[in-house]
Structures are given as C-alpha cells and as structure tokens.
Amino acid sequence: MSQLFLSPGVPDPACRLRVVAPQTPPGRVAMWLGALLDTLPTPALTIDRTTAHRNAERMRERCRALGVRLRPHVKTHKTLEGGLLATGGTRRGIAVSTLAEARFFADGGFDDILLAYPVPTARLEECAGLARRLDAFHVLLDRPEALASLRQRPLGHGKRWLVWLKLDCGNGRAGVRPTDPAALELAQAIANDAPEEVTLVGVYAHCGNTYGCSGADTIQAIARTTTNAVLSFVAAHPIPEMSQLTELHPGNYIFYDLQQTQLGSCQPQDVAIRVLTRVIGHYAHRGQLLVDCGWAALSLHGAGAGQGPQGCAAIDGHPELRLVGLTQEHGLLEHAGGQMDFGRFPVGSVLALIPYHACATAAMHPVYYVHEEGKVVALWHPVRGW
Amino acid sequence: MSQLFLSPGVPDPACRLRVVAPQTPPGRVAMWLGALLDTLPTPALTIDRTTAHRNAERMRERCRALGVRLRPHVKTHKTLEGGLLATGGTRRGIAVSTLAEARFFADGGFDDILLAYPVPTARLEECAGLARRLDAFHVLLDRPEALASLRQRPLGHGKRWLVWLKLDCGNGRAGVRPTDPAALELAQAIANDAPEEVTLVGVYAHCGNTYGCSGADTIQAIARTTTNAVLSFVAAHPIPEMSQLTELHPGNYIFYDLQQTQLGSCQPQDVAIRVLTRVIGHYAHRGQLLVDCGWAALSLHGAGAGQGPQGCAAIDGHPELRLVGLTQEHGLLEHAGGQMDFGRFPVGSVLALIPYHACATAAMHPVYYVHEEGKVVALWHPVRGW
C-alpha cells in the first residue's frame, strides 16, 4: 500500500517534544471550566469547539469523497483531545512529529502512529520501545544508512519495522527526489532486503512548499504536482507495496489560522483559534492601545517580509485596528487609518487576536480554553519537549 | 527612594506565565545529569555554567561600582536556579513580569519581588495574596484608575501596597511621560493620598528602545537620556521618596545572546546559551545540511528586516555556515559562500546554534541543560503560563 502525505491544511510534519506529561497541572486551570470567556486570565488561547468539530468533520468528509484514508497530524494542537476529535474518537491512525508526541499519544491509548520525521537513529531504542508496545508504529527515512540502523536493531517478537520512504517532491527539505535513481534503490532495499525485519509501508511526501503560495489554485497545482510525482514514481516501479495514493495527513485544519485564510485553505469563519488579550493602557498622545499579549503568547510568526507585528495577528471584528508593536508580554494597537476611539476599548476590555500561524501560537500556551456559547467547556493540555 | 530600571542587558520587562510548577517532570530528564553534551537528545538548550556565573558576578561588580542596587529581572531564564545565581544566593530583590513568575519565585523562597508590569487590576486578588504572604511585593502603574483599584482593595494587616510610578522615557510602551503634568500628579497621589494603604516606592523606566540600536555608544546615549529624564523628573518635584537612581534591573545578561553581541552589550565569549542540534540529513544536490532544530526550539526571532532564518542563529565555530531554512522542527544549513564540506558534518554530528534572542529561545524549552567541562551538571526548569 503506498502512502502520500498531502496536506489541505498544509501542516509542517514536525514539532518535537520531550515532555510526555500534560504541561499544566490541571488543578491550576480547572477552576476556569464553565467560566465566561471574557473572565479568563489573559493572554489566553481559546478554541471554538463548534468550529473545530466542523473542521474535523469536513476533513473526514473530504477524505471519504476522495476515497483516501485520513491520518490526522497532531503537531498543531499536540493534545489527546484534538487527536480524539480528528480521529473521530477511534484513537487510531495519526501522524506525529516527535518521539515525545509519540509517547504522549501512546500513553493516551492511541495506536497506529506514524513518526512523520526522519527516523532519529540516535534514539533508536526509544523508537524500538514504541514499535514493541504499539500495534503499529511507523517511521520514515530517506537514507540507506537509516535503513541499515534499523536492520542492526531488529525488533524481534515477530515485529517488523514499518518504514515509509520519504520523497522530496519539490518541498526541498527532507526526502529523496523521485527522479533520483537512489529513490528506487532505497524503496527496493526497504521492501526486499530484510522482509523478516523491515516492511515497506509506502512512500511519503509533504507539500510544505505551498506555504510560499497565495491562492487555492497555486496550492492545488503544487498538490497535483506532488501527487503526480509520487504516483509516477509508484507507477514506474513495480513494487507491489506501492499501488495508489491512500492517505492524507493534514494537521493545521482543526484550528486553521490567518495564514491558511490568506492561502485560501479555509474561510475566515473556519478559524477556531484566538488569543484573548486585555487592554491594559491608553496612550492618547500616540493613539495607541497597550494589550497584554506579546510574542510570548502569539509568537513572531507572520512578521516576516517586512510586515512587522501587524502580520502576526488580525484583531477579530476590528479590521480598523492593527498590531504595530510586540514585545515579550506587550502588544501595541493602532487605528489603521483614522483616529483611535479609546472609548470603545476601555482598559480591561478583552480583544480576540486571530494568530497568523496556529502551530506557532499553540506552542506558546500550556493550556487551551475550549469554548461553546461563550463559556469554557473544556481545557486541553498540549505536550511539549522533544 | 527612587528606582530606575536601566538595562545593560536590555531585557524586556515582561514574560507572563500561568503555570507555577516546573514544566518538566524532573524524572524524565534527570537521567541526563552527568551526560556528555553531545549525547543529549536534540534539540537541547544548554547553558555554560562558568560563563553564566561570570556574567552574574560581573553585573554585581558593575552595580557595586555604580553604587546602585542590582534587582535582577528573571524573565529571560524564569528559573529558581537562575534567580539564585543572579541574587548571589540571597533570594532577595528580583523583578518578574507575570503573576505566575511571582508565585513560582515566592514558592521557591524568594522575596522582595517586583511585578515589573502594569498592575493587572483584573487579577488584584492574586496581587493582594502575594503582597500578604511576602515581606515585599511591589507593583507599578501609570494610571490614576489603577491607583484607585489598589485603594479599593486595601491589604490590611498593617500591609501597604508598594507602588512604583511607571515612566515612559522614550520607550513608547507603558508609562506616563515625565514631561506630562499627569506624571507629577500621579506620583503625588501615590505618595500622599492614602499613606496608610499605599506607599510610593519610586519611579521606574525601561530602555527597551535600545533594542532598535546598534553599538554601545547609541545604547549608552539612550540609557543616559532615560536616566536624565527620570532624575530631572525626580529633581524637579519635591517628593522625598524620590532621591536618586538606586537600582538596575537587567535580565538578559545571565545568558546574553547573538542580539546582545550585535548591540555591543557583551562579547561573543559572554554568551552562555546554545541550542544543540544534530545533522539529520545531507542533500548534496542543494548543498544543504538538514538539522533537527526548527523554530519550535529556536523561535523566529532575528528573522525580521528581510534577514530571514539566517538572522535567527549563528552556528558556533562555523562562520562559514548559515541557517537558510527553519520550519517547526527542521533547520537547513548552507555554506555561506563556497562548497559545503559534508564530510565535516556527518549525519548524527552535533552543532551548537547561538540564538538571536535568548528570552525567546528559552521560552521554547521545558528544560535547560547546564554544563561544565562538556558534561551536564544541572537541569533548570523554567516556569510557563500567565
């Protein structure tokens, strides 16, 4: 069976974490269950449950319609709750980017886990431990040396290393190019050299280069190119394990973000993530509001390309405002063109920031406040570390 | 007594954290005590103990020479160990940026703690709790309304709110301008309106605008301007509590970073922080090394001003290499001008990245590996959240 990682949510197949335990002692935040959103201590990362559920269901429908399996990537949210939502409650078939995530989700009852990262041969014993305790723990590689490392550490107990060949179909990060003769040699070596120790599961590609795009058409073109490159490679080489495109591994789509909206992957109403922040000062002589959200709660993602802080977030419901300053714990807001109406934003009032990159913003928060009808209905605790 | 926050390390007086417990179950990483640095799981944040101790001692000497008190800001490292080092073991007299930090350090036996952030009136009960349990918990404000909030919540038990007036001496973030008549009115109100409930400790300014500078001269000029603005304000207004500049509150100086080196605040050999990363792939057709450190372990700080990823870190000992790509968990290195010598960087070899902004990079890590003579001698666990 051949596999292709093709990402409507354009996730980055990575985020390595060392810590497997939830990062926030639940007792410290459990008091906020049932609280009104605007009473939360700020900055606070919030997730609209209705929107996240709709995003999850739509992706399942999309995959059903495409006739491919959905293997959700959990690296954006890094939570068991998000994994449950994305797998429709089955806890089976996810992609992770770090060993810490793999352990965390395995401890949480998940199985059929793909470590969607070049197999860390320096930590092979950890990989072997996961392969032994799980029904299916998949790794990927793009080097013969990595295959040799796996063969030097057979799993025994009737277990085999489940290996995907990582292809680089234009993303220019990890992977062997499908046009490179080494790709076929490596695929054949994985498939045939030690069938009792290693099994070729399929091939894997990532459309990370869509990050550089604008517009759904361009993204679809890249996705099509990637798909064709993989399928041509598969068709050209008679390795029975490779038949058709069978899986999609999106990750960002549960939350979406400003970047995905700009890329055309989603509509503004599909973005479930916000960072709530309070106005903590009025500075009339500069026409600026000071808010209690800095890069420590938002990240600096989106500030590139000369955009500065205003690229890092949009202010929900206030297109007239723009973020003009970000330090560790402070944000500065200005009116985009006219006069700041300070009366509309009293000190203590709460604004909701729509982050540019959900993966980056989520990584800054020890807890996510999941809400419905204006109240906190759940607390999600992400894993961290590597 | 008047206070001035003047920062040789140019810290940002902020980083708000909700979680007070260390973020990494010590058992998970304790196994690395005594380990050789190049055996650590990567990416790994490391601190050179000798350099950090020297930085701490130098700052104490500098303050002794200036005849001012050192109140170290802990927001860069957020660890009890770093606080002990910076206070010379006294655990007395620190600046924090968040209530979570304040609780964390109070729980760790620290006292005389300044919350160097506009007093969060929405969380006044938490502030009152700290003021009651500590010998000295200081807050700062720049609005009459904040003073009114404190007066509406007297501490009782013979305790008074210890308040600093936040001045904006050109930084353009929080603070009232010393030339604004409101500054004197507010200082007088803090000092005189309710002496049994509120005590004016002093005035506070921050030279964050030095971040925009290049060169020690420019930074010193801004520091001088800031100092003069504060002292002129103090001298012009006969409030006995304000006499002379008495404290410095640097924070970044324990670690320093690439940015501080470029700003001229330190020499390259003073930078104690590194992010260790392993080479995980060779891509000869692009002349690139793939490493296992992405923005999740480094942050994107330094990528601004069109610099791109190469602004985010320097590669220690390898000026010929530059960081040309950063995704969540991957970094791409190229030769700055010539041919990449892949033989020098075998897959599995470890490189040390010197981060652009220590505060931002430290915020991405649940544990810091402190080393001496190539071995891990301590594990520091930072607090997170708000």
Side-chain angles (χ1 to χ4, degrees), chain A residues 42-341:
Chain A
T42 47
L45 189 150
T46 66
I47 300 298
D48 182 312
R49 184 161 75 172
T50 308
T51 305
H53 276 252
R54 188 177 67 232
N55 292 340
E57 180 48 35
R58 277 191 188 158
M59 190 58 72
R60 282 195 294 271
E61 285 168 9
R62 190 184 307 196
C63 290
R64 276 194 293 268
L66 289 168
V68 296
R69 180 184 183 196
L70 171 64
R71 179 186 293 272
H73 204 306
V74 299
K75 69 104 187 175
T76 300
H77 54 81
K78 313 173 196 292
T79 62
L80 299 178
E81 299 87 348
L84 272 172
L85 179 59
T87 58
T90 67
R91 289 195 174 88
R92 293 296 179 272
I94 60 171
V96 302
S97 304
T98 72
L99 284 170
E101 276 175 89
R103 289 192 304 264
F104 178 66
F105 281 87
D107 293 343
F110 284 72
D111 206 324
D112 188 0
I113 298 174
L114 162 67
L115 177 59
Y117 197 79
V119 59
T121 48
R123 298 171 70 180
L124 210 53
E125 280 312 305
E126 291 174 73
C127 296
L130 284 157
R132 296 267 288 270
R133 68 187 275 204
L134 294 172
D135 291 341
F137 177 66
H138 310 256
V139 297
L140 60 82
L141 56 82
D142 64 1
R143 301 178 300 122
E145 298 80 4
L147 175 60
S149 300
L150 296 182
R151 293 195 53 189
Q152 286 159 23
R153 203 309 182 188
L155 295 172
H157 304 73
K159 286 261 186 182
R160 294 169 186 163
W161 287 105
L162 304 178
V163 178
W164 303 28
L165 173 64
K166 179 73 166 75
L167 292 178
D168 173 10
C169 298
N171 185 36
R173 195 172 59 188
V176 56
R177 291 165 299 167
T179 52
D180 183 339
L184 175 59
E185 291 164 23
L186 188 50
Q188 288 171 325
I190 298 168
N192 307 326
D193 285 6
E196 69 291 347
E197 295 167 7
V198 176
T199 296
L200 175 65
V201 179
V203 295
Y204 181 105
H206 168 52
C207 304
N209 40 338
T210 51
Y211 270 117
C213 303
S214 60
D217 294 351
T218 330
I219 293 173
Q220 284 167 10
I222 287 179
R224 191 170 296 113
T225 307
T226 306
T227 311
N228 293 340
V230 173
L231 295 183
S232 311
F233 175 76
V234 168
H237 308 304
I239 298 177
E241 289 79 358
M242 305 180 182
S243 57
Q244 289 300 315
L245 164 61
T246 55
E247 291 195 4
L248 300 187
H249 301 174
N252 176 284
Y253 70 97
I254 298 282
F255 293 169
Y256 282 126
D257 52 34
L258 194 59
Q259 181 179 28
Q260 294 304 323
T261 311
Q262 293 165 357
L263 289 171
S265 303
C266 68
Q267 297 302 310
Q269 64 271 22
D270 301 326
V271 181
I273 185 172
R274 299 287 187 278
V275 176
L276 300 188
T277 184
R278 278 195 175 77
V279 175
I280 58 173
H282 287 174
Y283 301 90
H285 63 283
R286 331 188 278 265
Q288 293 180 329
L289 295 174
L290 190 66
V291 297
D292 65 1
C293 176
W295 54 253
L298 192 59
S299 88
L300 281 186
H301 288 239
Q307 270 235 76
Q310 73 183 92
C312 299
I315 295 85
D316 196 11
H318 294 285
E320 78 279 13
L321 298 181
R322 64 181 179 191
L323 187 61
V324 296
L326 267 184
T327 54
Q328 194 156 345
E329 297 296 338
H330 300 75
L332 280 172
L333 301 181
E334 274 181 6
H335 194 288
Q339 286 289 321
M340 173 69 75
D341 178 359

Side-chain angles (χ1 to χ4, degrees), chain B residues 228-380:
Chain B
N228 292 340
V230 172
L231 296 183
S232 312
F233 175 76
V234 169
H237 308 304
I239 297 178
E241 289 79 359
M242 304 180 179
S243 57
Q244 288 301 315
L245 163 62
T246 56
E247 291 195 3
L248 300 187
H249 302 174
N252 176 284
Y253 70 95
I254 297 283
F255 292 170
Y256 283 127
D257 52 34
L258 194 58
Q259 182 179 28
Q260 294 303 323
T261 311
Q262 293 165 357
L263 289 172
S265 303
C266 68
Q267 296 302 311
Q269 63 271 23
D270 300 327
V271 180
I273 185 172
R274 298 286 187 279
V275 177
L276 299 187
T277 184
R278 277 195 175 78
V279 175
I280 58 173
H282 287 173
Y283 300 91
H285 63 283
R286 336 187 272 268
Q288 292 180 329
L289 296 174
L290 190 65
V291 296
D292 65 0
C293 176
W295 55 253
L298 192 59
S299 89
L300 280 186
H301 287 239
Q307 269 237 77
Q310 73 183 92
C312 298
I315 295 85
D316 196 10
H318 295 286
E320 78 280 12
L321 299 181
R322 64 182 179 191
L323 188 61
V324 296
L326 266 184
T327 54
Q328 194 157 345
E329 297 295 339
H330 300 75
L332 281 172
L333 301 182
E334 273 181 7
H335 194 288
Q339 286 288 322
M340 173 68 75
D341 178 0
F342 289 97
R344 283 190 69 189
F345 309 104
V347 170
S349 58
V350 174
L351 292 168
L353 305 182
I354 307 171
Y356 177 77
H357 190 182
C359 310
T361 298
M364 310 307 286
H365 290 261
V367 62
Y368 312 155
Y369 299 90
V370 181
H371 60 94
E372 205 166 69
E373 296 171 352
K375 285 187 178 173
V376 176
V377 293
L379 301 164
W380 291 7

Side-chain angles (χ1 to χ4, degrees), chain A residues 12 14-16 18 23 28 41-42 75 117 142 173 283 286 327-330 363-364 369 384 386, chain B residues 12 14-16 18 23 41-42 75 103 117 142 172-173 283 286 327-329 363-364 369 384 386:
Chain A
D12 184 314
C15 55
R16 315 188 63 211
R18 181 174 295 113
Q23 288 316 291
R28 287 211 57 76
T42 47
K75 69 104 187 175
Y117 197 79
D142 64 1
R173 195 172 59 188
Y283 301 90
R286 331 188 278 265
T327 54
Q328 194 156 345
E329 297 296 338
H330 300 75
M364 309 309 285
Y369 299 90
R384 297 186 78 210
W386 287 275
Chain B
D12 184 313
C15 54
R16 315 187 64 210
R18 183 174 292 114
Q23 289 313 293
T42 47
K75 69 103 186 176
R103 288 193 304 264
Y117 197 78
D142 62 1
R173 194 172 60 188
Y283 300 91
R286 336 187 272 268
T327 54
Q328 194 157 345
E329 297 295 339
M364 310 307 286
Y369 299 90
R384 296 186 79 210
W386 288 273

